[in-house]
Amino acid sequence: MTDHASFSPSRPVPLCQTHHWDIEADAVIVGFGAAGGACAIEAARAGARVILLDVASAYGGASALSGGEIYMGGGGGTPIQRAFGFEDSTEDMYQYLLASTGPNADAAKVRLYADNSLEHYRWLTAQGVEYKTSYVAERCVEPLTDDCLIWSGSEEAWPFAQLARPAPRGHCPKYVGLGGGRHIMDVLARHVAAAGVDVRYNARALALVADHNREVHGVVARIGGEIRFVRAHRAVVLCAGGFIMNRDMVRRHAPHLLRARYPLGTVDDGSGIRLGMSVGGSTINMAEGFTTLPWYPPGSLVKGIFINERGQRFINEDVYHGRVAASALCQGGERIWLLADQSIYEAGQMHAAVGIEIGSAGDTWEEVERELGLPRQALLDTVELYNRHAAQGEDPLFHKSAKWLKPLIEPPYIALDCRIDHCSYSAFTLGGLDTLPTGEVLDEDGAIVPGLFAAGRTACGLPRWGAGYSSGTSLGDATFFGRQAGRRLATTRR
Amino acid sequence: MTDHASFSPSRPVPLCQTHHWDIEADAVIVGFGAAGGACAIEAARAGARVILLDVASAYGGASALSGGEIYMGGGGGTPIQRAFGFEDSTEDMYQYLLASTGPNADAAKVRLYADNSLEHYRWLTAQGVEYKTSYVAERCVEPLTDDCLIWSGSEEAWPFAQLARPAPRGHCPKYVGLGGGRHIMDVLARHVAAAGVDVRYNARALALVADHNREVHGVVARIGGEIRFVRAHRAVVLCAGGFIMNRDMVRRHAPHLLRARYPLGTVDDGSGIRLGMSVGGSTINMAEGFTTLPWYPPGSLVKGIFINERGQRFINEDVYHGRVAASALCQGGERIWLLADQSIYEAGQMHAAVGIEIGSAGDTWEEVERELGLPRQALLDTVELYNRHAAQGEDPLFHKSAKWLKPLIEPPYIALDCRIDHCSYSAFTLGGLDTLPTGEVLDEDGAIVPGLFAAGRTACGLPRWGAGYSSGTSLGDATFFGRQAGRRLATTRR
C-alpha cells in the first residue's frame, strides 16, 4: 500500500491493511478554506489536537476568492443592521431562508443558522473580522468600497417579500475592492495558527482509512510528495469544496451547469465528496448549482425587462442576479436580452468583463425587434403589456415591486445581449454529502458514518437552490457549520 | 449475522464474515421485471445457472403495468414500419435518440441500441411477442385496441424533426386495452421457466456480500421469511426498478418530481440502486425523471395552445405529452391551461381519470381571460399573436408544425384546466447506477465494480431526460440492456 497510484478517493483503505500511522491527531481536517479554518479553530480551542491539510501551497480555497459577504441577521438585527434601522427578526430570517433555499431546504439547518446568526456575528468580529458601520442602499453584487451592509438576496422581491419582512443581511468585510473573502481567510488563518493547529500544505488526501463497518479512522495523504498515513482519533472532517472543477462529475450529476461557462472554484474537484461516498456517505441535491451573471449594477437596469428568444418576459427583474440567471438558463435557447430605454440605461460595472454587450439600439421598439430577428410583434406585445401596467405602478404578470416599475418609452431603446453561449455565466455546485447540522455525515439509511464530518461545499448545507440563492449564504454556511463540526467533534469519543 | 433487522441495502455484508452459503448459482438477478426477465433468459441460455429473486409474489414489476410499447426501428425499418412505408434508417434513429435523451445522453448506449434494434425486434418476436401489422396515425398515448405502430415521441416536432428524419417507432404488443406490458412479461416469464431459471418470489435482497476490494460475491435475501445467503459465482445483477416509490429518496435527489402527484411504480423503492452504491457503484442523473399528463388524444387538441399562469405560451404543442408536462412543471406556479376553440375541442379519453376539467368557457377570449383571473390582455396577446401567425401556417415562436396550426377563432372558447396541484401528473425516475452498455456497474473512478451488473431503471440507461422522453424507451432499454447483461455475465469468469 505504498504505491500511491493505487489510491482512489472512492476506495477506502481497509484499517486491517494499515500497519502503521505516520502522524496522529484527534481531528484530521481536509481543506483549509472557510469551513476547514473555522472547524479547526473551534476544535483546537475545545482541546482537540488538529491537523489541517490543504492540497494547495496556501490557505484560502474558493473562500478567499469570494466577495467575503456573510449572510447574517435576525434577533433584532446585527449592530450594523440596527444602525440603519433594520430591526431584523429571527423568524423573518428563518422564513426567508426556508423559502429561498428551495424545495430541498433543510429546516433544521435553517433554524440553527437563523437562531445563532447574531452569535456568529459576534464570533466573527471577536476573531477580528472588521465591519464598517455602513449601508449600501443601491443594488450591487459586492461593494468595491469597504462598505458593509448590502441587499444580497431577493428579500424585497416577490414572492419572498410576501413571506417575510425584508431586511438586508449581506455583511461585507471592511476591505477595498473585489474579493473580501481574502480578509476573512486571513483572520481565520491567524487563529488557526494561534490555536496550535498543525497545518500542512501541498497535502492531498488520497483516501480514507476505514474498518469493516466503515468507521473512519484516518486519511492517507500525499504530503510534500510523501505518502503519509494520518490517524484521526476522533474524526476526519471533509472541507474540500464542491465539484464544479471536475467537469466529468458535473456532466454526470449536474449537466445543465455546463452551460454556465465560467466555473467558480479553485480545487473543487469533488474529491471531498468522493471520499465521503467511499465509506457510505450519502450525497443529496447533486444536480443543483448556483449560477449567475452580474448584470447590475447599475440599479437603474432593474427597471428594464428581461426577455427570452421568443420575446417573452420570464422573471420579476428586482430579484437577486443569480435568480435571474437561473431562470434565463431554463428558457430554452441561447438568447436572452435585457431591454432598457434611454432613461435607465447605463453601462454596468462588470458588463465588459462578463461579455454583456449592446445587441441592438433603435429609435423604436419595432426597430429593436426587427434587428434582433424576433418574430414580428413578439417583443412589441411584451413591451406594450409591461408599459401599460407599469404606468399604473403594477406588474400583474411577475409582481416586480412598484419602485422598479417605469414604462420604457424614452428612445433610444436598447437590448443588452446576455446570450448564454457568449456571456460568462458563472457556476458552483450546491450538492454534496448529507450531514446533520452538527456536521456528522449520514449514510443512505440516515445513520451517522462514524468518525466522519463534512462542512462547506463538500456537504449539502444551507444554500441548496440556484434559483433562490443569496450572496453570503455559502460563506456563511461554511464558517457557521464548520464551527459546529469543530465543536461537535471535540466532544466525540470512540 | 442472522438478525435481519441488522441488514441494510446500503451496507454490504463482509465476505470474511460470511461462513456459509444456502444457495449457489452463477448469476443472482434481483428483480423480475422486463430487465431481470430478459437478463435471466440470455444468461441461462448461455449456460449460466441463474437464480431470479423478486420481492413480490409474482413477476412483472412496473413493466407489467406499462403500456408495453418498445421503441424500435432503424436498419430500413421493422417489418411493421416497412409495411406502412417507413424506411427508417439507423442513423436517423440514433440521432433522434441522442438528441431526445438530452444533455446527459450516453452515446455508446444509444449507438448500441440503434444498431441492434432490428435484432431486438426479431428476438422479441421469436420469443412470442406478437405485433399486429397495423399503424395508428392518430395521436395517442397507447392504443386501446390491439394495434401496433404509433408515434410515441417527438420525432415529427421541432427541434427533433430538424435533426433526424421522423419515423414512428413505438411498437405496441397485440393486446387489447391499456397495459400491454402484461403480454411482454408473460412471454418473458414463459422463457425464464423454459430456460430452467430458479425463480424465487417473496424474496427480498437485503444486502450484498462483498470482499475487501468490494468485489461482489452474493446476496443476503429474505426468501419466504428466512434469511438466505445466496452465492453468485459470476455476478449479481440488480434489476429492481427505480426509486419513485421511495419518497425520501425522491426528496433528496429529485425533489421537483414530488410535484407530480402520481408515482408510476410498483416496488421501485430504490433498494436496487442502494445495493449498488453500497459497494461503490456510482449513481448518475439522479435528479431526472419522466413526468406526464395524458392530455391527448384527441389529436385535435394538438391544435390548441398551452399557457402558463401569466398567459404565456411555453411549448410547441405537437411534441410528446411528456415533453409538454416537463415544460409545464418548469413554468413557475401551479396553473396551466390548454386553450381550444369549438372546432378542435373534444373531451379526452383520459381527461376524467387524470383530473383535466374545463376551467372556463366563453364566447370571447376576453371572457375566458377574465374568468381565469389572468391579467388583462395577457391571454389575448398570446392568442392574437398565435392566431395571426397560424393563419399563415407559421409558428415563429415555438415552431409547431404547419399541420397543427389553425387560428382559434370559433366560439365557444375553452380553457382546459391542467393545474399541477390538481391533475394527476405522473412520474418515474431516470437516474441510477452508472453502467457500461454491457451492464457492468462502474464506480466513481469509472472502473468496473467486480461481480456487479445492473439493468432497467436501477441503472441509468437509455432514457435520461424527462423533457425528451419517448414511450417505449424505458421498456426498450430494460429488455435490450437486460439481454446484454445476461450475455455478458455468462462469459465472465472469476
Side-chain angles (χ1 to χ4, degrees), chain A residues 8-12 14 16-17 103-105 158 212-214 248-249 251-253 255-256 274 277-287 309-310 312-314 375-378 381-382 385 388-389 392 396-398 434 443-445, chain B residues 8-12 14 16-17 103-105 158 212-214 248-249 251-253 255-256 274 277-287 309-310 312-314 375-378 381-382 385 388-389 392 396-398 434 443-445:
Chain A
S8 158
S10 294
R11 248 190 352 263
C16 59
Q17 292 175 22
N104 211 7
W158 184 90
H212 275 150
N213 298 317
R214 301 201 288 196
D248 181 57
M249 273 183 84
R251 188 184 58 72
R252 291 186 294 125
H253 298 292
H256 67 283
R274 293 177 59 193
M277 293 168 70
S278 76
V279 291
S282 171
T283 55
I284 59 174
N285 209 38
M286 291 290 280
E309 68 181 37
R310 295 170 297 282
Q312 299 173 309
R313 249 181 106 204
F314 55 87
R376 195 165 59 81
Q377 206 66 27
D381 279 354
T382 298
L385 189 66
R388 190 174 334 128
H389 288 126
Q392 295 158 20
L397 266 64
F398 292 96
D434 193 12
D443 68 17
E444 278 287 322
D445 291 319
Chain B
S8 159
S10 294
R11 245 185 1 258
C16 59
Q17 292 175 19
N104 211 7
W158 184 90
H212 275 148
N213 298 317
R214 301 200 289 196
D248 181 57
M249 273 183 83
R251 188 185 57 72
R252 290 186 295 125
H253 298 292
H256 67 283
R274 292 178 59 194
M277 292 168 72
S278 76
V279 291
S282 171
T283 55
I284 59 174
N285 209 39
M286 291 290 279
E309 66 180 38
R310 295 171 297 281
Q312 299 174 309
R313 250 182 105 204
F314 55 86
R376 195 164 58 82
Q377 207 66 28
D381 278 355
T382 298
L385 189 66
R388 190 175 331 128
H389 288 127
Q392 294 160 20
L397 266 64
F398 292 95
D434 193 12
D443 67 17
E444 278 287 323
D445 291 318

Side-chain angles (χ1 to χ4, degrees), chain B residues 69-306:
Chain B
E69 300 97 304
I70 296 189
Y71 199 86
M72 294 183 287
T78 64
I80 318 290
Q81 286 180 311
R82 284 199 309 273
F84 297 95
F86 297 104
E87 292 180 5
D88 195 13
S89 88
T90 299
E91 190 59 20
D92 284 317
M93 181 173 177
Y94 172 78
Q95 292 297 345
Y96 173 74
L97 283 173
L98 196 66
S100 65
T101 55
N104 211 7
D106 182 329
K109 282 186 181 162
V110 173
R111 175 52 75 196
L112 192 72
Y113 187 87
D115 283 355
N116 294 282
S117 185
L118 286 195
E119 184 277 333
H120 192 50
Y121 176 88
R122 287 190 295 268
W123 187 85
L124 287 166
T125 52
Q127 309 315 302
V129 174
E130 289 187 82
Y131 293 114
K132 184 170 161 182
T133 304
S134 63
Y135 165 55
V136 180
E138 297 79 39
R139 283 273 159 159
C140 70
V141 171
E142 58 177 282
L144 299 181
T145 58
D146 62 355
D147 288 307
C148 176
L149 190 63
I150 66 169
W151 292 92
S152 69
S154 301
E155 297 85 355
E156 292 187 297
W158 184 90
F160 305 103
Q162 279 62 44
L163 304 171
R165 194 177 50 157
R169 300 190 184 97
H171 288 69
C172 304
K174 191 172 167 185
Y175 182 92
V176 176
L178 295 172
R182 165 61 49 198
H183 170 66
I184 303 280
M185 284 310 307
D186 288 343
V187 168
L188 293 178
R190 276 203 303 277
H191 290 284
V192 164
V197 173
D198 179 3
V199 180
R200 309 282 181 112
Y201 295 113
N202 306 306
R204 179 181 294 278
L206 300 173
L208 294 178
V209 178
D211 64 23
H212 275 148
N213 298 317
R214 301 200 289 196
E215 178 163 352
V216 176
H217 293 269
V219 163
V220 185
R222 189 173 58 234
I223 304 180
E226 303 291 323
I227 300 296
R228 292 286 176 255
F229 281 71
V230 187
R231 183 171 189 174
H233 285 280
R234 293 187 189 166
V236 170
V237 190
L238 302 170
C239 302
F243 62 96
I244 194 66
M245 307 310 280
N246 183 330
R247 302 315 261 177
D248 181 57
M249 273 183 83
V250 175
R251 188 185 57 72
R252 290 186 295 125
H253 298 292
H256 67 283
L257 294 184
L258 295 173
R259 294 188 73 204
R261 299 163 61 239
Y262 189 75
L264 289 172
T266 53
V267 180
D268 296 290
D269 61 358
S271 59
I273 295 169
R274 292 178 59 194
L275 288 166
M277 292 168 72
S278 76
V279 291
S282 171
T283 55
I284 59 174
N285 209 39
M286 291 290 279
E288 266 298 326
F290 165 77
T291 50
T292 200
L293 183 73
W295 58 273
Y296 62 74
S300 62
L301 287 178
V302 177
K303 295 179 180 159
I305 60 177
F306 274 94

